[in-house]
Amino acid sequence: MKSVSELTDFYYKNLFPTLEQLENKRKNLRYKIVIVALVYTLLCAAIAYTLVNFYEFIIFAYIAIGAIIYKFLIHDYTHEFKMSVIKPLIHAIDSSLLYSSTTHVSDYYFERSKLFEKPDKLGGNDYVKGQIDGINIQFSDIHAQKRHKNSKGRESWSTLFQGLFIVADFNKNFSGETVVLPDSAQSTFGDLIGHWLQSNNMARDELVKMDDPEFEKEFVVYSTDQVEARYILSNSLMKKLLAFQQKSSHKVHISFIQNHIYMAISYNKDLFEPSIFRSLLDYKVAMEYVKTLHLAISVVEELKLNQKLWSKR
Amino acid sequence: MSMPFIILIILALILVLMYNSLVAKKNQVENIFASVDTTLKKRYDLIPNLVASVKEYMQHEKSLLEEVTKLRAEAMKPDISDAHKIALDAKVTSALGSIMIAVEDYPELKANENIMHLQHTLHEVEEQISAARRAYNQAVTDYNNAIEMVPTNFMASLMNYRRKQVFEIVESERKNIDVKELFN
């Protein structure tokens, strides 16, 4: 597989004419957005000035309509960016990978992963599907939300997960369910209370204490089967997952269910979106796209998922 | 309700909780040892096939094959103690490792489809055994901690609970692999 530096080279060398064209469009778009925002703000301010008593409603409408106008303005540019930058980047990694800018990993897989509660609203985009080294893999941006109602019946939404969601074949056969979550209890409450809280987590299966202290510090493992959890999480896989967590530098949730590995990497933002207020030729911007894509696809290589055991051949 | 009565109820509750947690830990050890047993049995079932497949080639390693067959027969006997099973497991692991290394010296054998299949199956069983051993060791550690730590140790000694033995890594597996030696 191509390395991050090779992909960055590809970004600058092969996509340069496209990037230059897009960069001009981006500058024009930025100018247009600033003008529209100014006119829109002035208009709203004038309305607010005449209707003195409805400030709350006007501010709400200002933000909501503003967001719609912004989305409408950037729609074409976003589409063009994804088709002429993200898609070629994905194909540079492997030409057989399929890409869709509008769909996402299905609700079925998200719920099947058992990493988060069942969401009330699931959205996402930038779906990639295909085979890497003979391993089926799919990933996309996902935004899962939960609906809440307060005593007055007012509705609000909270984010369960936002970031990169990856599903891949796993190289071992197993029948139980094993979930690996970031260890927040032990790091917040200390070993004793944290451990007590973890072992009494009603929403999860049995707590599995792992024999790698570093892994234990970073993650907490729940499983339906103590032995199987350790069969999946061999000492070498624990080391690899730790390295993956360090590489991604974001919180990673992992589960092993029905011969699949599910990984959710929290980013708390929409990935692969074009930057409007920063240059596309900016090194940092390019690196972000490349690194995120590389991270998702490198799962197969990093975790050596292609080293299948006899029973799965 | 009078104060002494409340204290008595709390004390009884603590005793019940301690008793239950000790029993749960002991049962967890037994439960996981059953998994270890199942995976060990899987490995013992593979041994006759392995021996039959390599016997003709490995004339020089005859004693090794006899040793592994003998160990298997011993391990398959009913009613052997857990400690004995643990000791036999270590011996079988090292004997099988030696056979696998010896296979490398026979190019024909190494390329044999049957042997390759056996090697992969053994490798998978080894991984399962290793997982079961790790789970067992964790359960035993929890149990041993409980019977030695205050206050559960008092109750454990009343219940006549004794320390249990953990699986130890075979000495050869503890050493770092000498790459040079592998290529010689």
Side-chain angles (χ1 to χ4, degrees):
Chain A
M1 196 177 76
K2 285 196 172 73
S3 67
V4 172
S5 55
E6 280 173 311
L7 285 172
T8 319
D9 271 359
F10 176 85
Y11 183 90
Y12 281 116
K13 282 184 188 156
N14 298 46
L15 301 178
F16 197 74
T18 323
L19 287 171
E20 268 187 328
Q21 262 183 20
L22 275 173
E23 184 59 15
N24 283 335
K25 285 188 185 168
R26 186 190 69 84
K27 281 180 186 159
N28 291 338
L29 179 65
R30 187 183 56 184
Y31 181 69
K32 206 161 134 190
I33 290 172
V34 172
I35 298 293
V36 171
L38 270 175
V39 173
Y40 174 64
T41 309
L42 284 175
L43 198 73
C44 285
I47 294 170
Y49 188 71
T50 36
L51 308 167
V52 189
N53 288 329
F54 300 100
Y55 279 134
E56 223 177 79
F57 174 74
I58 290 168
I59 290 171
F60 176 74
Y62 171 72
I63 296 170
I65 299 171
I68 294 169
I69 295 173
Y70 180 76
K71 276 213 159 174
F72 175 75
L73 284 174
I74 64 161
H75 178 268
D76 289 347
Y77 173 70
T78 305
H79 182 75
E80 199 180 339
F81 166 81
K82 287 186 176 182
M83 286 303 141
S84 51
V85 176
I86 299 295
K87 197 174 177 180
L89 256 182
I90 290 166
H91 286 165
I93 294 171
D94 194 311
S95 57
S96 68
L97 291 172
L98 300 172
Y99 169 73
S100 156
S101 63
T102 48
T103 46
H104 56 81
V105 171
S106 79
D107 303 32
Y108 169 79
Y109 282 115
F110 187 81
E111 284 166 31
R112 192 78 201 82
S113 75
K114 301 220 170 158
L115 289 173
F116 306 95
E117 276 178 71
K118 192 176 184 307
D120 293 310
K121 191 156 83 183
L122 190 87
N125 49 29
D126 298 310
Y127 178 63
V128 177
K129 187 184 179 172
Q131 274 203 345
I132 299 279
D133 295 340
I135 292 292
N136 289 311
I137 182 171
Q138 53 177 309
F139 61 89
S140 79
D141 226 358
I142 287 271
H143 189 196
Q145 291 171 284
K146 189 98 191 148
R147 185 179 28 225
H148 305 278
K149 264 189 180 173
N150 67 9
S151 52
K152 287 175 189 163
R154 202 179 260 183
E155 198 180 80
S156 65
W157 292 86
S158 67
T159 294
L160 286 175
F161 169 73
Q162 186 173 23
L164 195 61
F165 192 81
I166 310 168
V167 186
D169 290 345
F170 193 63
N171 60 2
K172 285 177 181 172
N173 272 323
F174 53 88
S175 52
E177 293 173 352
T178 298
V179 178
V180 182
L181 306 174
D183 190 341
S184 44
Q186 261 173 298
S187 50
T188 319
F189 301 104
D191 280 355
L192 202 69
I193 301 174
H195 181 74
W196 184 83
L197 285 172
Q198 285 170 348
S199 53
N200 289 291
N201 187 343
M202 293 299 181
R204 295 286 176 189
D205 296 311
E206 231 179 291
L207 179 74
V208 183
K209 267 196 254 172
M210 300 309 295
D211 44 4
D212 183 329
E214 263 186 76
F215 186 85
E216 259 298 299
K217 220 164 125 188
E218 210 60 54
F219 297 107
V220 53
V221 183
Y222 294 101
S223 179
T224 50
D225 187 330
Q226 291 274 343
V227 176
E228 199 177 76
R230 288 170 174 98
Y231 172 59
I232 293 167
L233 291 164
S234 62
N235 285 313
S236 65
L237 185 66
M238 283 196 281
K239 291 256 175 325
K240 284 172 192 162
L241 286 175
L242 262 175
F244 188 84
Q245 155 81 62
Q246 276 153 11
K247 196 176 140 193
S248 79
S249 65
H250 291 90
K251 272 191 176 173
V252 183
H253 294 64
I254 311 139
S255 69
F256 302 88
I257 290 161
Q258 284 194 346
N259 299 330
H260 281 88
I261 175 171
Y262 299 84
M263 294 183 106
I265 308 163
S266 307
Y267 278 90
N268 295 322
K269 66 170 185 183
D270 204 348
L271 301 161
F272 311 116
E273 296 303 305
S275 59
I276 309 284
F277 298 100
R278 280 170 79 188
S279 166
L280 286 174
L281 302 168
D282 183 342
Y283 185 69
K284 269 192 183 165
V285 173
M287 278 303 281
E288 221 175 295
Y289 300 128
V290 169
K291 266 190 167 173
T292 316
L293 273 177
H294 192 265
L295 181 82
I297 292 175
S298 70
V299 163
V300 172
E301 212 166 73
E302 300 267 331
L303 306 184
K304 296 271 181 272
L305 297 178
N306 54 349
Q307 283 181 353
K308 289 190 179 182
L309 290 169
W310 182 261
S311 56
K312 287 208 80 178
R313 285 177 184 216
Chain B
M1 226 187 293
S2 65
M3 201 54 165
F5 190 66
I6 293 173
I7 292 173
L8 207 70
I9 290 180
I10 292 173
L11 264 176
L13 204 70
I14 291 172
L15 286 175
V16 168
L17 284 176
M18 273 183 357
Y19 180 84
N20 285 351
S21 101
L22 278 167
V23 172
K25 286 193 167 76
K26 188 196 74 155
N27 287 345
Q28 174 82 323
V29 171
E30 279 170 12
N31 178 25
I32 293 184
F33 194 78
S35 310
V36 179
D37 237 6
T38 321
T39 46
L40 287 178
K41 169 87 171 46
K42 246 193 221 172
R43 180 163 74 175
Y44 295 138
D45 289 345
L46 287 172
I47 291 174
N49 292 333
L50 180 71
V51 172
S53 312
V54 300
K55 203 162 57 184
E56 283 172 35
Y57 294 87
M58 290 187 172
Q59 290 304 325
H60 299 296
E61 285 84 5
K62 218 172 173 186
S63 59
L64 199 58
L65 299 179
E66 276 164 10
E67 163 80 2
V68 78
T69 314
K70 202 184 91 201
L71 287 171
R72 177 186 183 267
E74 205 174 326
M76 298 298 275
K77 274 184 202 157
D79 306 326
I80 60 168
S81 72
D82 289 359
H84 194 182
K85 268 185 204 165
I86 291 174
L88 280 172
D89 165 63
K91 283 185 191 165
V92 173
T93 303
S94 108
L96 282 178
S98 305
I99 294 177
M100 282 308 158
I101 290 170
V103 166
E104 298 296 312
D105 291 339
Y106 301 87
E108 262 177 80
L109 198 54
K110 219 168 79 178
N112 183 309
E113 187 118 334
N114 195 16
I115 291 293
M116 270 158 66
H117 175 85
L118 270 170
Q119 249 175 344
H120 283 295
T121 319
L122 261 176
H123 177 69
E124 194 183 339
V125 173
E126 287 304 331
E127 285 212 24
Q128 285 169 350
I129 293 175
S130 149
R133 277 194 209 123
R134 285 161 62 208
Y136 177 75
N137 284 356
Q138 187 60 56
V140 168
T141 310
D142 285 348
Y143 167 85
N144 285 347
N145 282 346
I147 64 170
E148 283 181 6
M149 281 180 181
V150 180
T152 34
N153 59 340
F154 299 113
M155 174 144 294
S157 71
L158 283 178
M159 290 159 82
N160 211 14
Y161 277 11
R162 295 273 168 270
R163 266 185 75 88
K164 286 188 191 279
Q165 199 186 343
V166 293
F167 277 92
E168 276 173 13
I169 312 172
V170 183
E171 203 52 48
S172 60
E173 284 180 23
R174 213 176 281 179
K175 281 187 223 148
N176 280 333
I177 295 168
D178 186 351
V179 181
K180 250 193 226 158
E181 207 172 273
L182 284 177
F183 285 106
N184 279 335

